[in-house]
Amino acid sequence: MDFGHIREVKEIEIAQIDLRYAHTRIQRPERLCSLSGSIERFGQILPVIVLREGVNSFVLIDGYLRVNAVRRCLRDTVMAEIWECKKEEALVEVLARTHSRKWDLIEEAALIRELHDHSHLSQSKIASLLGRRQGWVSGRLALYHALSEDLLELIREGAISTWAATRVIAPIARAMPEHGKALSENLSKASLSTREMALLYRHYQKANRKQRENIVREPFLFLKALHAREEAAEAKSLKEGLEGKWLRECRVIAHMLRGLRKEVPTLFYSGQSNLERRLLLTAFEESQGQFVKLGKEIRRYDCDDHPGEPTSHHEPLSAGSPHAADQPNPQTLSKHDPTGPPGEVATETATRIPLRGASPHLPGGVQSLSG
């Protein structure tokens, strides 16, 4: 297409302008307020772009926010750059001006839809004119057609963001149409940030049916309750201090160890290869080494009379549980019989664990299990 069309800049009456493509723009109240203040102080700096259709008839191609700002300043005229060309040429050139403005995805999609559905340009032709891949064009069209008209209207009004519509509301609406509709209606009353929408969606994914209904019908109340719960947890953590954190993490470790013990009969069986066993035991020894270091650190400081010296009035930390049922069998792993019955439990001693028949050169540069 030839973009060398005539361009004239002059003042024209707003009443002479056809706002034909207003549906392709998103209203932004905060920007409108800021721009109105700027025009009041400094006047209109950048002209809008209009396409001449008659002697005193124009179609607004770009500058919908500026026209609204000028109206808000109670002015009847606007400075405009007048183009005389075909409408599809004007739309393509404005859309291609990515250096002068950042288009929202829905705004891009709406303009591409105008070129495709009303100007009857093929996707490949649009892509060629814009210097884009055809997949980019088809993706924008698919995005536009995937959203309902009600949802598109909420985006245009600035009630919800394109991100919230495409990443949160649309997936919910596809799975549960009534939930998508309820959430759209409630979000139109007040806006949520992207972070809040992402948080709401994560909880919706993990919630049961009743909880989901509460989330979509009372999203603001749900987020308020969630915030209150987080504040309460933070207050509790501050009150408990480092001691509370230590106790919680020790309980987590104990829970994980109980789970690992239950898995021993399944993992350490007679048909297991030496390679598999070495890998498992190497990981165990690395963890065991950290426990030994932790025990030494505690013994250094756990002394009322002589800080920094080992204690003598406490049981050794390596003694573990006083119950015989919780004590490991020192002979089980070092004398493990690979021909024994399946399900035999293999545990670990506190010292080095010899592996009968193990190669001195283990995979990954590991020379020994205790190295």
Side-chain angles (χ1 to χ4, degrees):
M1 287 186 180
D2 180 16
F3 293 136
H5 40 68
I6 300 174
R7 295 173 179 180
E8 175 189 5
V9 178
K10 70 174 186 178
E11 292 259 355
I12 61 175
E13 297 284 338
I14 294 178
Q16 297 174 339
I17 300 176
D18 180 358
L19 307 179
R20 185 175 304 172
Y21 301 110
H23 66 281
T24 67
R25 302 301 198 274
I26 296 175
Q27 299 176 28
R28 295 177 172 86
E30 69 288 346
R31 292 189 189 178
L32 178 60
C33 183
S34 176
L35 184 57
S36 299
S38 176
I39 291 175
E40 283 282 9
R41 293 179 62 191
F42 309 109
Q44 182 186 348
I45 297 175
L46 295 175
V48 302
I49 298 174
V50 297
L51 182 67
R52 187 189 294 277
E53 277 204 332
V55 178
N56 293 312
S57 178
F58 308 93
V59 177
L60 185 60
I61 301 297
D62 193 34
Y64 282 83
L65 186 63
R66 276 165 282 170
V67 168
N68 288 334
V70 168
R71 279 177 167 173
R72 190 168 181 171
C73 296
L74 303 179
R75 301 186 182 188
D76 298 326
T77 62
V78 64
M79 185 66 67
E81 182 178 311
I82 303 171
W83 291 1
E84 297 188 14
C85 61
K86 295 180 180 180
K87 64 179 182 179
E88 55 267 25
E89 292 178 350
L91 291 176
V92 166
E93 183 170 357
V94 167
L95 189 55
R97 288 183 171 191
T98 55
H99 64 279
S100 60
R101 64 170 296 171
K102 182 175 177 61
W103 293 96
D104 185 274
L105 287 175
I106 289 298
E107 291 178 327
E108 283 182 333
L111 286 174
I112 291 172
R113 177 176 171 269
E114 288 291 327
L115 292 170
H116 185 263
D117 293 358
H118 298 105
S119 297
H120 306 293
L121 297 181
S122 67
Q123 292 186 20
S124 60
K125 180 65 173 179
I126 296 171
S128 175
L129 292 171
L130 295 176
R132 297 280 191 170
R133 296 178 182 273
Q134 184 174 340
W136 182 87
V137 174
S138 62
R140 292 300 189 273
L141 289 173
L143 171 69
Y144 192 90
H145 293 301
L147 301 176
S148 67
E149 187 57 38
D150 291 341
L151 201 52
L152 287 170
E153 187 60 30
L154 289 175
I155 297 173
R156 296 186 197 109
E157 293 172 356
I160 59 174
S161 67
T162 300
W163 186 93
T166 56
R167 300 293 184 88
V168 178
I169 300 176
I172 290 176
R174 284 195 293 269
M176 301 284 288
E178 65 277 14
H179 283 187
K181 182 178 180 180
L183 185 58
S184 299
E185 292 174 351
N186 285 297
L187 290 179
S188 65
K189 301 172 184 176
S191 60
L192 291 176
S193 67
T194 300
R195 187 191 68 83
E196 289 173 325
M197 288 297 300
L199 182 63
L200 184 144
Y201 187 50
R202 285 200 301 271
H203 281 273
Y204 180 89
Q205 289 175 303
K206 297 183 291 185
N208 59 37
R209 185 176 297 275
K210 183 61 179 177
Q211 291 170 333
R212 287 183 172 189
E213 290 178 358
N214 292 335
I215 289 173
V216 299
R217 299 189 188 285
E218 297 287 349
F220 303 100
L221 182 61
F222 168 78
L223 289 173
K224 184 178 179 180
L226 189 62
H227 182 63
R229 189 169 64 187
E230 290 174 350
E231 286 185 335
E234 183 179 1
K236 181 181 179 182
S237 178
L238 287 172
K239 181 179 179 180
E240 293 177 347
L242 188 58
E243 294 83 357
K245 177 176 179 291
W246 173 281
L247 291 172
R248 286 194 303 273
E249 292 184 352
C250 282
R251 294 189 187 105
V252 171
I253 293 172
H255 176 75
M256 294 175 66
L257 290 174
R258 285 192 292 270
L260 290 173
R261 286 179 57 193
K262 292 179 181 179
E263 294 170 355
V264 167
T266 304
L267 288 171
F268 295 89
Y269 57 96
S270 59
Q272 186 184 49
S273 69
N274 282 337
L275 174 61
E276 291 174 331
R277 182 165 304 190
R278 285 198 298 272
L279 292 174
L280 293 173
L281 293 179
T282 298
F284 172 76
E285 277 202 341
E286 290 174 354
S287 301
Q288 187 187 46
Q290 293 301 318
F291 271 102
V292 171
K293 292 178 181 179
L294 178 61
K296 290 179 180 179
E297 284 294 307
I298 293 175
R299 282 193 294 271
R300 284 181 57 197
Y301 297 100
D302 187 27
C303 181
D304 297 332
D305 300 325
H306 304 285
E309 297 181 5
T311 62
S312 59
H313 56 281
H314 293 297
E315 290 293 326
L317 290 172
S318 59
S321 171
H323 303 290
D326 292 334
Q327 300 302 314
N329 183 350
Q331 306 299 323
T332 304
L333 290 180
S334 59
K335 297 182 179 180
H336 179 71
D337 182 3
T339 61
E344 181 178 355
V345 176
T347 57
E348 177 68 289
T349 67
T351 58
R352 184 185 180 92
I353 305 172
L355 287 177
R356 183 155 53 93
S359 170
H361 299 288
L362 305 184
V366 179
Q367 295 300 313
S368 72
L369 292 177
S370 58

